[in-house]
Every structure is written in structure tokens, then in C-alpha cells.
Amino acid sequence: MTHALKKHLQLLAGLTACAFLLEACEHPAPKAKNAASANIQSPLTARHNPSLWPTPVSKVAKDPVMEKQIDALIAKMTLEQKVGQTIQPEIRSISLADIKKYHIGSILNGGGAFPNNNKLSKAEDWVALADSFYKASMQPDENGVAIPIMWGTDAVHGHNNVVGATLYPHNIALGAAHDPELMKKIGAATASEIAVTGIGWSFAPTIAVVRDDRWGRTYESYSENPELVKSYAGKMVEGLQGDANSRDFLSQNHVIATAKHFLGDGGTKGGIDRGNTDVSEDELVKIHAQGYITAIEAGVQTVMASFNSWQGERMHGNQYLLTDILKNRMGFDGLVVGDWNGHEFVSGCTKNNCAQAFNAGVDIFMVPDDWKVLYENTVAQVKSGVITQARLDDAVRRILRVKMRAGLFTIGAPSTHALAGKNEILGSAEHRAIARQAVRESLVLLKNNNQLLPIKAGSKILIAGDGADNIGKQAGGWSISWQGTGNVNSDFPGATSIYKGIADAAKANGSKVTLNVNGEYQQKPDVAVVVFGENPYAEMQGDINKLDYASDKELNLLKKFKAAGIPVVSLFITGRPLWVNPELNASDAFAVIWQPGTEGAGVADVIIPDAKSKARFDFTGKLSFSWPASPDQTPLNVGQENYVPLFPYGYGMTYADKSTAGDNLSEAAQDARKLSESLEIFKNRSIDPWQLTLTDDLNNSKAVTASVVTLGAVNYRAVDRLVQEDSVQLQWSGKASASAGFLAKERIDYSAMPDKAALVFDLKVDKKPNADVKLSVTCGSDCGADKSIKDELQKTSIGQWQTVSVSMACFKKAKTDMLLSPFMLSTAGELSLTLHHIRIESAPAATINCQ
């Protein structure tokens, strides 16, 4: 795969925003040369309205003594030392020698990164690595400067990268608990487990307000309701960092918190990860900014910039929001850290060259690999004045302020910290009890015919479904690995599966429990409990095109039990509301258990009673997201016009409630799009919803809206074949990588393709390629497939039309039910060709096969 195509696959979701917001993409915001601090404003302020924004006051005030210490340290630092503080590599791509040589200020471990590349690493392994990083950073340079390094980690539902840690229900479940004080308890418990491993910085909480549940990060959001998110954000920050203005604040029992992702990450059109949030400034404030109010008031020390765009401008490059609003108007005096190579998506930037993001207000580049070139380029940009010394000093001041507040200059090596290496704190009974409470409070009962729940004492209970004894599935994404996949129950020592929790509780009340994943039984049970739902995923990998839980396996199992006269309890594992009308109809009782984490016994606490059949705990969870009545009912949010969900925001039964959901809910879902024998992409013109778009090597994109368009190394011209301008001529100069292809504004379902489908196009080569040429079909960041067609192009006769067909089997990794581009050409070399009539159709004898 070429570098250009790799980048294009990563950027595609966001490029759809730029492709259709031409002014924002072709004329990016002026690159400020001195957006250094509180009294420097972006030129964009004039066309926005800062008065719409709140002015929270942090409980953590600046300390004049500390500020003088920072002044003195900055005065001693060299340019190179300052820039090093702004670079954050990943632990797998940096050496101890690098830390000293480049004066690195912070590091991170990405999801699935472990000491010695061993996911079973113990607390002492993490501490030893943290010690080595710290000691490397504390070797004084010639000028006597030694600045302790910070280590950040994505601890989004507990210390989820570490085997043996307590994993809490994901945020969507916590939102259903409607319990802000519980957030503080979870934050404090999580902080102590992070401290055990010698790490001092958590990239949490996520305070996104999700408005389209197709987003793959929906489960990382507490609610669609900004007020609920607002009530949670400050409490979670207090739990992680400790109470501001107390001796506990950023003590050795606590860690630095991060409010993320600023801003509008939950509002992207179509729920596309890293896409465009195209809302008014007023809506941005009222919906997406509310959590930051309480987070800042609680003294949050870091904010992470978001991958998404707002009105077509990437957040990593949005000076108005990062500097004018967050730092100036909202008074945030901590540091802004970028997300994973998030700066490379800014118009005009690459992964290793992005003064625009720094000038906009990003203080730390999160640049996991290939970071040395970025370091050198940033040094050069300060020397040339592209980045001013004032802006650099402002960033370094913020970084040093956070480090000093966290006591990093005084508390010594991680191994000397109060909790370091104390394995008994990881997954402690106290923390598991908090997580179990969170599970209990988060469960939402949607249906309970004939008061089937709680299951009567003394019952014969059959447990079925692939989620019954599967801790990895119940934990969801961000569980040991980034995607939460590749794990087995033994990777979660001390955890309890849903089955084990039910079996233990049932034994105490005289019930008999049998586990059979496939629902087979020798003796007819009194009740069947089926545990099923979404498999783990994270970020863009979890984006979907419609809210349909479509799995015939589980539905057939439910129907089998019902046909046999066996009452059925469905326990639904999910990271978002999904259309499950068929499953609801086939169930006598239906509870949403979300992704409960490691403490599956919390489910049994509610559905298994005591020996007298009295409920030990009632259902108290209430939906923090509206539940759809059809697969395509999205966006669906409380307060909108024509709000007719299946179950509204705030719904949730108790045992005292009578079930209102019958067995006759509509199952007439919108069918998948029926394709004709030919699916048109370009026929004399771009066929809706596709738009021909050019992309250069600097993340700039330009929709083709004229007969001649040039961007970077690629040129488009409308030419004639049969009728006027019925063909596309594309020329690559070879001066840089570039792409040309057809994009949609939002994902398109093309899953119902013809038999033996192929991507077919008429082609005339005017100049043969001198480098590889990739044809790709894509559905977003890290979601797509490509096929080299260089050899096919080399074989063609210059100036002669021919028809090329590429089997869709070549693109089987692309999710055809959520396409963003069915045709994209990329090369870094010279090439000239003309295209006519691009389509997907049945082609049993494709020119290029990948069977």
C-alpha cells in the first residue's frame, strides 16, 4: 500500500467534510504567527461570537510562586529543550537515549502497548519501565535543566490496559445509572490503580455528547443529554485528580485527568468517526461544550483536541476554539494535548510538519511514531518565525505548570510513589465492589411480561448465548487491547462472567443453573437466559450504517425457546441503542446490560432473588440515550421535533412497573438498498451521492465543481468521448502523492450487490504510470481495501479505450454496507488517463480477480 493511499484511508472520513465545504478547505484559516496566550486572539474571532461561551472559574488558581519558578526555568531552557517538551511519542517507538537527546516531555502507551510487548505484564513491569523513562528525563543537560517526563494512558473504563485491573461499565452504562457521585468513586478507584503502575496521567474522561448513535464511540459517551454529561464531567475529574484546593489534589493517590475530545466529537454528520460537526456555534456551546464547564471548574489539567472538524475546519487547527475560547474565554490554564497524529489531518499539514496545529493552540503533539522529523521541523519553524518564541514559551509554560501542580519535580521516581507496585490494589475487593454497584445501577429493564424477573428461587435455569461466559465480550472495546478483541477469560483474573455471577447467586437460593452457549438441554428448563449482543470494537471500527442488531443466530435461539414454551430472558450487551424489535418480540423479559466490564455478578444481583424469591436489588437504570423504533431512526435525541422513539430518554422499568412492550412490535425494518443490475458511480457525470474529489499529500481536498481543477500533483479536466464532457481526464505530475475519487457526504449501504460483482470502468491510458497505482474502496479511517492496478495499466495500448473490471472480492475488507468511496485512484508517480462510465455490476469474468 502506498504512503499516499495509507494516508487517504486514514483521512477519508474527515475529507468528506472538506470535500463539500469548499471555502473552509480551499481557504483555511490564517496561520497565526503569535497566538501565544490569553491576550492573543485569532482573526476568526471576528466572524464568530465569543459571548455565547461560558466563563467557568477553575478551583485551581495560579500560584504566583510557582509561576516565578516556571519563569526561571523557561529562561534557562534552550530552544531544543522547549520543543522536546511538546513532543509525545509512543512507548514502542522511543529509546531511553532518545528521551535525553530530544528532551522529551511526555510519552503514552496506546491501546495494546505493554512493557516488553507482553500484555500479561505485572505492575512491577510497568513501574520498572516508568522508572527508566523518568531517570532518562532527569539526567541534567549542560545548562543544568532536567524536567521529569509525564506518561499518559487511555484508562477509559478503569485501568483497562493492565491485566488484573478493575474494568467498570463503559460510559453509556454509567449514564444510565444517573449517579454523579458514583462517577467520583469510580474516578478515584481508577486513579489509584493507574498509580500502582507508576503512570500519572489518564486520558479520561470522554465527555462527548453523542447525537448519532451510529458512531463507533457512542459507548464512550454518558448521554445524548448535555446536562447529564455536565453533571458527570466535573465529578469524574474530581475522582481522578482529587478535590481541588485540598491536600488530596494530585496527591500520589491520584492522577492528571484529561477532558476530551474538544470539541464536537459526538456531533459528526452520519456518526462518522473523525468526521464533520456541522452545527451552529450556539448549538456547539449548548450541546457539546457543557461538560467542559464542570471539568474546568473542577480543575482539570489537560484537554485533548478532537479529531473531528467543526464547520469543515479540523479541531487540531482551530485557533478560535482552542485558543480564543478554551484558553482565553473559558480560562483554561492547563495544557492542550493532541490526539493520535491528529495534527496530520489539518489542512496543509503532514504527520511530521504542522506549525498550524501548534499555532492554533495544541501544546503537545501526540505523535506516536516518526516523531523525530516533527521535532526537527518544529525547531526549524521556531527559528524561522513560523512559530513565535512567545507561542512556544506559552506551550512550555502550560506543560511545566501541570507538571509542577502534579508534584513531578519533587516526588521522585515512580517506584518511590506511595502506591507503586502494590499489586493488591489492582482489582481489589473494594474497587470491584464499586464496579459491581455500577453494573447494578446501569441495567435498564425494557420488558418484563408476567413478572418473569426476578427469576423465582428454586428454578431450573439454562444460560445460553455467546456472551454468557465471555468476559472479553462483556467488557467491550478498550479492554486490554484497543479493540477489546483477542482476549480470553484468563486474561481477566479476578473477573466474573455473567454466567458465573448468575450461577453463584442461583446456588444460594436453591436454583440449578446449566450453561450451554447453543441453548441445548437434556431437561427442559423453567427459564432460559440468553446473553448476546455486540462484539467488542473501538473508534472507527465500530461505525455502522444503520442501528440494526441483525443476527439470525440469537434470534433463532430466542424463537426456539419460545416455541418450546420456555420463558425467555434476554440480556443484551451493547454499546449503543439498537433496533431489536424482533428480539424483543421473542423475549418475555428484556434487559439492556450494556458492556458491564469485569463484574458480571452485578447483573445477577438484580435478576436473581434471595431464597424467598424477594429481589435483592431492583432495576434502577434509566436510558440516557433514546431507543430507536426503526434501524434508520437516527439522529434520535430527546427534545428534537417529531420525537417518537420506541423507548424515550429516561425510560426504564422497575419490578413494580407493568410491562407495556408486547410481543407485536413492528418488524418491518427498512430493507437493504436493492440494486439494479448496474450500480452507477459516474455516467456522463457523478451520480448522486458521489462527488468527484481531488486530494493532495497535505490533507487538502477539493471537490470538482468546474471543468478544470488542479490540486497539488493531480489535475482534472472534463473531456468528451461520446457527448460533451462525459469523461474524466486525470493527470498526475509525479511531484507528490495524490488521489482522485468519488466520495459521499455520509456512508452509503451497498451491501446488496449483484452476484459476482465487480468494479467496472472504461479506461484510456494517455501516459503509463512510472510508480504503483492503487484502486481503493473505502468506508472510513482504517476501513477499506485497495488493489494495485499498475500492471493492468502498463499492458494497455496508449490512447485506446478498453473496459477494466476488478472483482469486488479484491475489496472484501471494505464494509460495503457503509461505503464512503467506491472508487479512488492514488499514485505518487506520473500518470495520465481518462475514465468513462464507472459502475459496479455483475462480471463473472472480471479482468482482475482476487478469488
Side-chain angles (χ1 to χ4, degrees):
M1 184 182 293
T2 64
H3 172 73
L5 187 54
K6 284 182 180 178
K7 174 180 284 189
H8 193 85
L9 288 172
Q10 292 175 335
L11 301 179
L12 193 60
L15 292 182
T16 58
C18 284
F20 298 94
L21 292 167
L22 298 179
E23 181 177 357
C25 297
E26 294 183 48
H27 306 287
K31 300 175 181 62
K33 291 189 176 182
N34 59 351
S37 61
N39 54 8
I40 303 295
Q41 288 195 330
S42 160
L44 293 176
T45 303
R47 62 183 176 91
H48 293 303
N49 187 358
S51 66
L52 293 172
W53 295 82
T55 55
V57 177
S58 173
K59 295 177 183 177
V60 181
K62 289 181 181 177
D63 178 350
V65 174
M66 182 183 292
E67 295 301 312
K68 288 183 178 179
Q69 293 172 335
I70 295 171
D71 287 340
L73 185 51
I74 290 177
K76 292 177 63 177
M77 294 172 70
T78 66
L79 168 60
E80 290 75 15
Q81 288 170 335
K82 292 175 181 179
V83 171
Q85 290 296 302
T86 72
I87 303 295
Q88 185 180 86
E90 214 262 355
I91 62 172
R92 290 171 289 192
S93 63
I94 190 167
S95 68
L96 300 182
D98 286 336
I99 288 174
K100 176 173 173 54
K101 178 179 179 180
Y102 293 93
H103 324 286
I104 297 300
S106 63
I107 51 172
L108 80 148
N109 63 290
F114 316 99
N116 306 312
N117 291 317
N118 177 15
K119 82 173 185 177
L120 300 179
S121 294
K122 304 296 185 183
E124 51 265 31
D125 300 317
W126 290 88
V127 172
L129 185 58
D131 255 15
S132 67
F133 289 141
Y134 170 82
K135 291 175 182 177
S137 71
M138 293 304 289
Q139 298 177 31
D141 287 313
E142 292 181 1
N143 60 356
V145 171
I147 299 174
I149 198 168
M150 292 192 295
W151 183 343
T153 189
D154 281 292
V156 298
H157 67 133
H159 197 12
N160 44 258
N161 294 288
V162 178
V163 168
T166 308
L167 301 191
Y168 298 85
H170 272 295
N171 285 357
I172 191 171
L174 299 181
H178 294 268
D179 188 347
E181 290 303 320
L182 178 60
M183 301 308 104
K184 188 172 182 177
K185 290 169 63 176
I186 291 172
T190 299
S192 65
E193 295 202 15
I194 296 171
V196 167
T197 58
I199 299 172
W201 183 5
S202 174
F203 297 143
T206 300
I207 52 179
V209 180
V210 175
R211 308 297 281 177
D212 191 320
D213 302 344
R214 291 174 291 183
W215 189 32
R217 305 189 79 160
T218 297
Y219 65 79
E220 295 188 56
S221 171
Y222 297 119
S223 180
E224 70 190 39
N225 181 355
E227 288 304 311
L228 180 58
V229 174
K230 182 179 181 180
S231 72
Y232 273 27
K235 292 296 183 181
M236 183 60 81
V237 169
E238 289 175 355
L240 288 166
Q241 295 189 163
D243 288 331
N245 297 321
S246 75
R247 299 181 68 177
D248 201 35
F249 180 69
L250 290 178
S251 70
Q252 294 185 37
N253 296 332
H254 292 279
V255 296
I256 298 164
T258 306
K260 68 180 189 183
H261 308 84
F262 191 87
L263 187 62
D265 48 347
T268 62
K269 184 175 179 61
I272 295 175
D273 189 56
R274 309 181 184 187
N276 184 46
T277 299
D278 191 14
V279 300
S280 68
E281 186 170 2
D282 183 60
E283 185 173 338
L284 191 69
V285 175
K286 292 179 179 177
I287 299 295
H288 299 286
Q290 294 303 300
Y292 292 91
I293 298 173
T294 56
I296 290 172
E297 289 173 343
V300 70
Q301 290 299 290
T302 71
V303 169
M304 185 178 290
S306 187
F307 275 115
N308 67 278
S309 304
W310 175 52
Q311 295 184 354
E313 183 177 1
R314 285 287 179 183
M315 275 306 310
H316 277 70
N318 195 312
Q319 184 180 329
Y320 171 68
L321 290 178
L322 292 179
T323 297
D324 297 356
I325 296 302
L326 177 63
K327 293 180 176 181
N328 296 354
R329 174 75 178 182
M330 299 182 75
F332 175 66
D333 67 3
L335 67 87
V336 173
V337 60
D339 207 339
W340 187 281
N341 282 331
H343 56 278
E344 75 168 321
F345 301 121
V346 176
S347 181
C349 287
T350 66
K351 181 167 61 175
N352 50 36
N353 192 328
C354 195
Q356 295 93 317
F358 196 77
N359 283 333
V362 173
D363 300 307
I364 293 179
F365 290 108
M366 184 185 289
V367 54
D369 50 23
D370 198 23
W371 52 269
K372 292 179 182 178
V373 180
L374 178 66
Y375 169 90
E376 299 291 353
N377 283 335
T378 305
V379 168
Q381 287 159 349
V382 177
K383 289 180 177 179
S384 70
V386 173
I387 297 172
T388 66
Q389 188 69 54
R391 170 65 191 115
L392 177 61
D393 286 353
D394 173 63
V396 174
R397 174 177 296 279
R398 290 170 177 274
I399 295 165
L400 295 178
R401 183 182 294 135
V402 171
K403 289 184 175 185
M404 287 187 181
R405 284 173 174 170
L408 298 188
F409 285 85
T410 58
I411 59 177
S415 59
T416 68
H417 299 179
L419 303 183
K422 293 190 175 182
N423 276 294
E424 66 273 16
I425 294 176
L426 284 176
S428 69
E430 178 187 359
H431 296 168
R432 292 190 186 278
I434 296 171
R436 187 165 172 173
Q437 174 192 350
V439 175
R440 287 196 302 267
E441 292 186 15
S442 69
L443 307 179
V444 178
L445 183 62
L446 299 183
K447 182 178 181 180
N448 193 23
N449 286 358
N450 302 316
Q451 304 300 114
L452 179 58
L453 292 177
I455 298 170
K456 292 180 181 179
S459 296
K460 297 188 294 292
I461 305 171
L462 174 64
I463 310 292
D466 69 349
D469 194 30
N470 188 336
I471 299 172
K473 179 161 182 161
Q474 74 187 46
W478 292 106
S479 298
I480 303 180
S481 64
W482 173 40
Q483 293 295 315
T485 55
N487 298 317
V488 295
N489 282 2
S490 60
D491 292 328
F492 302 91
T496 305
S497 72
I498 295 163
Y499 154 70
K500 184 64 164 56
I502 292 174
D504 290 347
K507 184 178 181 180
N509 76 7
S511 295
K512 180 181 178 182
V513 172
T514 302
L515 172 67
N516 189 290
V517 172
N518 297 319
E520 299 171 355
Y521 54 88
Q522 298 296 320
Q523 184 180 14
K524 185 176 181 180
D526 296 318
V527 61
V529 178
V530 183
V531 189
F532 65 100
E534 288 192 302
N535 290 319
Y537 54 82
E539 299 194 37
M540 74 291 295
Q541 306 286 9
D543 285 6
I544 56 176
N545 194 53
K546 55 185 177 181
L547 298 177
D548 184 8
Y549 178 74
S551 176
D552 291 339
K553 180 180 178 182
E554 281 83 9
L555 181 57
N556 290 338
L557 186 58
L558 299 176
K559 289 181 176 179
K560 182 185 81 169
F561 288 136
K562 192 142 191 174
I566 301 171
V568 181
V569 176
S570 286
L571 301 178
F572 188 48
I573 296 172
T574 186
R576 59 189 136 210
L578 291 171
W579 186 76
V580 287
N581 283 18
E583 289 79 9
L584 279 162
N585 286 339
S587 306
D588 297 283
F590 193 104
V592 183
I593 65 172
W594 311 108
Q595 297 150 320
T598 54
E599 306 314 301
V603 177
D605 287 344
V606 178
I607 70 170
I608 303 298
D610 63 18
K612 295 182 179 180
S613 294
K614 180 181 179 182
R616 295 180 294 149
F617 295 91
D618 202 346
F619 279 92
T620 59
K622 308 295 180 185
L623 293 176
S624 61
F625 283 83
S626 305
W627 201 274
S630 66
D632 57 354
Q633 192 181 22
T634 184
L636 177 65
N637 298 293
V638 64
Q640 72 183 41
E641 294 182 4
N642 303 315
Y643 179 71
V644 190
L646 182 64
F647 299 108
Y649 175 90
Y651 182 86
M653 296 174 59
T654 68
Y655 283 137
D657 296 326
K658 183 178 180 180
S659 185
T660 58
D663 298 338
N664 59 349
L665 297 173
S666 172
E667 297 185 15
Q670 183 180 17
D671 292 335
R673 185 176 182 180
K674 301 299 182 183
L675 299 183
S676 63
E677 292 183 1
S678 180
L679 171 66
E680 306 292 353
I681 299 167
F682 180 90
K683 189 174 183 179
N684 301 333
R685 59 179 174 80
S686 296
I687 304 300
D688 190 65
W690 309 114
Q691 171 69 62
L692 180 58
T693 305
L694 308 182
T695 307
D696 69 9
D697 64 327
L698 293 176
N699 306 343
N700 299 302
S701 64
K702 184 179 291 186
V704 171
T705 57
S707 59
V708 178
V709 178
T710 299
L711 181 65
V714 63
N715 176 77
Y716 158 84
R717 181 181 296 274
V719 296
D720 305 344
R721 182 189 183 190
L722 303 176
V723 296
Q724 184 176 357
E725 296 190 350
D726 65 347
S727 300
V728 172
Q729 184 184 75
L730 297 168
Q731 296 175 320
W732 282 264
S733 68
K735 294 180 179 179
S737 60
S739 303
F742 296 85
L743 301 178
K745 291 182 179 180
E746 53 188 318
R747 289 184 167 123
I748 306 300
D749 185 355
Y750 274 177
S751 56
M753 288 189 177
D755 291 337
K756 298 181 179 179
L759 184 54
V760 183
F761 49 98
D762 297 343
L763 169 74
K764 178 169 67 75
V765 175
D766 304 305
K767 183 176 184 179
K768 293 184 179 182
N770 63 0
D772 197 15
V773 181
K774 296 291 189 182
L775 174 63
S776 63
V777 174
T778 54
C779 44
S781 301
D782 298 328
C783 175
D786 60 59
K787 175 68 177 175
S788 174
I789 61 169
K790 178 185 177 183
D791 291 345
E792 190 67 26
L793 298 178
Q794 291 283 11
K795 291 188 297 184
T796 61
S797 299
I798 294 292
Q800 298 296 312
W801 283 99
Q802 69 178 67
T803 300
V804 176
S805 54
V806 184
S807 171
M808 289 302 294
C810 298
F811 312 107
K812 59 185 177 182
K813 290 185 179 180
K815 297 179 181 180
T816 55
D817 65 337
M818 46 190 291
L819 287 185
L820 281 174
S821 174
F823 185 98
M824 181 71 63
L825 286 175
S826 304
T827 185
E830 295 181 34
L831 172 66
S832 178
L833 53 77
T834 305
L835 298 168
H836 176 85
H837 195 192
I838 305 170
R839 67 272 191 196
I840 295 175
E841 64 184 19
S842 180
T847 308
I848 301 174
N849 274 298
C850 298
Q851 302 296 342

